[in-house]
Amino acid sequence: MLLAMREDERMGRITLAQVAEQAGVSISTVSKVLNGRQDVATPTRVKVERLLETHAYRRTTRSASETPLIEIVFHELESIWAMELIRGVENVAKTHGAGVVLTESGTRHSPGPDWMEAMLQRRPLGVVLVFSTLPDAVKQQLRARSIPCVIIDPAGDPDPDVPSVGSANWNGGLAATRHLIECGHRRIGVITGPEDMLCSRARLDGYRSAMAMAGLEVDPGLILFGDFHVEGGYDRAAEMLSHPQRPTAIFAGSDLQALGVLEAARVRGLRVPHDLSVVGYDDVPVARWASPALTTVHQPLRQMAEEAAQMLMRLRAREPVATRLELATSLVVRKSTAPPPGS
């Protein structure tokens, strides 16, 4: 500890002793804050964190027994697209000789309060978060410890002070709906994601724009919010297909929801695409193996994760990074779409 402190002094960096002196606490208290211990009074912790952030305190090198890690945090690990994100982070971690640790915590909007203490004890190189935003307290704690973070946001639109990687959701919704219109469909339903997610609304806005540009009216009864899961897609499609004037095509806001739509059509004796066309979103690997193979919007999930992990490494190297990176989406036409019956 003494040698590390002397090196800090030679390099002009603040030491733990100096932080402790300015905060009016002991070095052990500062160490507890750095390690995420909860047995420190909140006012003291906040004071120490502000000093660490103000002076851009950086830890000395980690011990030889510690493996460098990149942490990726989800609110759920059940979704197929989560595996694509994990593979992307792993690709970058390998090139830097690092491992990957996975954490499930919180809601789709932000990680849970229990995550911070455990993460600080792991001391990762950086954190990739699959959430729409971060609470100010979390951002401050990460910055105070010089742990960079990047948000991958298929679920939302993060704050501008947090680097993020996303995709062109509005364009994706536009392309999916325009394809169905070009096939000859006029009565098109949409099952988007949760109503409080901006990506859901962006895809819905793309749908509305395509319908408006084609001069087609939108039936409010054919717009439903789902949950991005198979069961939600099935339930919403069952409701939509029970409509007296059912749609001839459905744009589902995720491939998993689209699989639910395919099953809802099957149990009602509807053939896809002869009686009903279906478009998904994401282009996860299972989409090409659906029956029929699913027409979908390709969201470059693996590339998004790779970009996020690369941004982390550039942040650690004190290199400038873009605040917001948005990758293109594209339509992949397979076998689940065709002209409507009788056309």
Side-chain angles (χ1 to χ4, degrees), residues 177-188 216 248-249 277 338-343:
T177 311
R178 185 175 281 170
H179 168 68
L180 292 171
I181 293 170
E182 290 172 350
C183 285
H185 294 276
R186 297 296 178 265
R187 192 160 175 78
I188 302 170
L216 299 175
T248 61
S277 285
S343 60

Side-chain angles (χ1 to χ4, degrees), residues 8 65 85 94 137 203 274 300:
D8 281 339
S65 63
L85 297 179
K94 286 178 183 177
R203 294 169 197 177
H274 305 287

Side-chain angles (χ1 to χ4, degrees), residues 26-265:
S26 66
I27 294 177
S28 64
T29 298
V30 176
S31 180
K32 286 180 180 180
V33 173
L34 274 170
N35 290 309
R37 294 268 297 274
Q38 296 301 303
D39 53 341
V40 179
T42 299
T44 300
R45 177 177 54 78
V46 171
K47 184 191 297 184
V48 171
E49 286 173 348
R50 285 176 178 166
L51 284 169
L52 291 169
E53 183 177 357
T54 298
H55 294 288
Y57 175 81
R58 300 186 72 179
R59 285 180 180 270
T60 54
T61 56
R62 56 179 70 228
S63 69
S65 63
E66 291 181 289
T67 302
L69 297 171
I70 296 177
E71 184 156 351
I72 179 168
V73 190
F74 298 88
H75 81 276
E76 63 179 4
L77 285 168
E78 298 176 0
S79 298
I80 296 174
W81 58 257
M83 291 305 303
E84 290 298 293
L85 297 179
I86 292 167
R87 291 189 180 102
V89 173
E90 282 184 330
N91 289 343
V92 174
K94 286 178 183 177
T95 66
H96 291 274
V100 176
V101 60
L102 310 179
T103 300
E104 186 176 39
S105 177
T107 69
R108 58 179 176 262
H109 296 292
S110 62
D114 57 331
W115 164 71
M116 179 62 71
E117 181 174 4
M119 183 275 299
L120 291 177
Q121 292 176 358
R122 286 187 289 272
R123 292 170 54 188
L125 297 174
V127 182
V128 174
L129 298 124
V130 189
F131 297 96
S132 58
T133 190
L134 280 180
D136 288 338
V138 172
K139 289 188 284 188
Q140 183 174 325
Q141 286 180 296
L142 289 171
R143 287 171 183 155
R145 294 159 181 82
S146 298
I147 299 176
C149 67
V150 177
I151 289 180
I152 297 177
D153 64 332
D157 189 14
D159 296 331
D161 62 341
V162 179
S164 66
V165 181
S167 68
N169 289 295
W170 182 87
N171 285 333
L174 180 78
T177 311
R178 185 175 281 170
H179 168 68
L180 292 171
I181 293 170
E182 290 172 350
C183 285
H185 294 276
R186 297 296 178 265
R187 192 160 175 78
I188 302 170
V190 58
I191 303 172
T192 189
E195 192 169 0
D196 60 350
M197 287 190 179
L198 290 182
C199 67
S200 303
R201 292 190 169 276
R203 294 169 197 177
L204 177 57
D205 287 344
Y207 159 86
R208 292 183 189 275
S209 296
M211 296 289 282
M213 285 187 275
L216 299 175
E217 291 188 11
V218 174
D219 183 346
L222 297 184
I223 297 176
L224 297 177
F225 289 93
D227 59 5
F228 287 147
H229 293 291
V230 176
E231 295 82 359
Y234 178 89
D235 292 340
R236 301 303 183 276
E239 178 182 345
M240 196 173 285
L241 295 174
S242 300
H243 198 287
Q245 291 183 293
R246 66 171 179 80
T248 61
I250 293 177
F251 165 40
S254 74
D255 288 340
L256 294 181
Q257 287 188 155
L259 295 178
V261 175
L262 294 179
E263 179 61 13

